[in-house]
Amino acid sequence: AQKITQTQPGMFVQEKEAVTLDCTYDTSDQSYGLFWYKQPSSGEMIFLIYQGSYDEQNATEGRYSLNFQKARKSANLVISASQLGDSAMYFCAMREERRQFYFGTGTSLTVIP
Amino acid sequence: DGGITQSPKYLFRKEGQNVTLSCEQNLNHDAMYWYRQDPGQGLRLIYYSQIVNDFQKGDIAEGYSVSREKKESFPLTVTSAQKNPTAFYLCASRNQDLYNEQFFGPGTRLTVL
């Protein structure tokens, strides 16, 4: 079974609009961490936001927020006020306690002017 | 400046040759990772190391080898046994804590001719 599932291969959003990128995960651990990374065309991986399994509040970092629904095992990334520079691949990742990271297959986001 | 360096950025090799990709970090991180990324796909773990002189196989270790003689360095050798080595290779490091993200290097694009 896939540990991380991202069902949207590609997404389009109008500049200045908000967009939600979906991520579901599979784990039987109680303690785990969820991460989102951005990968521009240059290839570097840029850390965006983190959510711990015990965190009761949804994480926020500037224009990024993580919509964490533990019972549904989902960790969707919300980007508000999209900018042209947000066009990139976005990867959801999970780390279970004392284990490796697992990455999803990514969502390609295109921001339209 | 603290960070992770990978060299070279682009690498071309003939089929059947071994090649070593460099990864160095000055972040004082204990854990280091090697990932492979193919076009349109997510990251797949090749090897990881949580401490000097120790490393574990990831999901796709066949045809690859690593060493971890120093905390700062985690070189990856792509051997001739790797059937399809052309890919983008990313190195990462992190502190050993569930809640810490991975920091990534800029990547090496390997093309086998």
Side-chain angles (χ1 to χ4, degrees):
Chain A
Q2 292 289 330
K3 287 282 189 181
I4 296 286
T5 302
Q6 293 181 254
T7 57
Q8 305 155 313
M11 291 280 287
F12 292 86
V13 63
Q14 204 75 37
E15 196 178 2
K16 299 179 186 175
E17 297 289 311
V19 63
T20 298
L21 307 184
D22 295 342
C23 173
T24 57
Y25 59 92
D26 180 31
T27 182
S28 55
D29 283 13
Q30 296 302 308
S31 182
Y32 51 90
L34 296 158
F35 305 79
W36 276 93
Y37 285 86
K38 172 183 177 181
Q39 187 180 42
S41 57
S42 57
E44 68 206 278
M45 293 284 283
I46 302 167
F47 166 72
L48 296 177
I49 196 166
Y50 164 81
Q51 179 85 42
S53 57
Y54 292 119
D55 295 340
E56 294 185 351
Q57 304 257 6
N58 285 341
T60 60
E61 287 286 348
R63 293 185 300 110
Y64 304 108
S65 60
L66 200 152
N67 185 358
F68 181 46
Q69 298 189 31
K70 197 169 183 176
R72 291 187 178 186
K73 293 188 176 177
S74 77
N76 298 339
L77 177 71
V78 180
I79 305 175
S80 62
S82 297
Q83 301 172 356
L84 295 178
D86 293 336
S87 293
M89 284 290 290
Y90 289 82
F91 291 96
C92 179
M94 175 179 69
R95 183 171 188 265
E96 298 165 317
E97 195 162 11
R98 289 186 294 279
R99 294 180 202 170
Q100 66 190 59
F101 277 71
Y102 300 95
F103 284 82
T105 51
T107 295
S108 175
L109 177 67
T110 302
V111 180
I112 304 166
Chain B
D1 262 63
I4 303 176
T5 55
Q6 290 185 245
S7 60
K9 191 169 179 62
Y10 298 96
L11 190 54
F12 296 89
R13 278 295 180 270
K14 290 184 180 178
E15 198 171 334
Q17 287 183 334
N18 290 0
V19 60
T20 297
L21 281 56
S22 166
C23 178
E24 304 275 332
Q25 55 99 1
N26 60 3
L27 300 167
N28 200 33
H29 288 167
D30 288 310
M32 296 187 74
Y33 306 77
W34 273 106
Y35 292 94
R36 170 183 172 138
Q37 186 179 27
D38 292 285
Q41 296 197 29
L43 278 64
R44 292 186 290 168
L45 182 66
I46 305 172
Y47 268 98
Y48 65 106
S49 168
Q50 299 190 78
I51 197 168
V52 173
N53 292 323
D54 186 47
F55 47 82
Q56 288 80 40
K57 292 182 179 180
D59 300 321
I60 56 164
E62 187 175 347
Y64 299 97
S65 66
V66 293
S67 63
R68 187 85 188 277
E69 296 176 4
K70 298 187 301 181
K71 190 176 185 178
E72 302 80 18
S73 178
F74 191 40
L76 173 74
T77 297
V78 184
T79 75
S80 55
Q82 169 49 233
K83 298 278 189 285
N84 184 19
T86 295
F88 187 54
Y89 290 87
L90 283 159
C91 178
S93 72
R94 66 188 294 271
N95 273 326
Q96 286 285 55
D97 186 283
L98 176 67
Y99 308 107
N100 287 337
E101 71 273 22
Q102 291 181 322
F103 291 83
F104 284 84
T108 292
R109 196 166 297 279
L110 173 64
T111 303
V112 175
L113 307 170

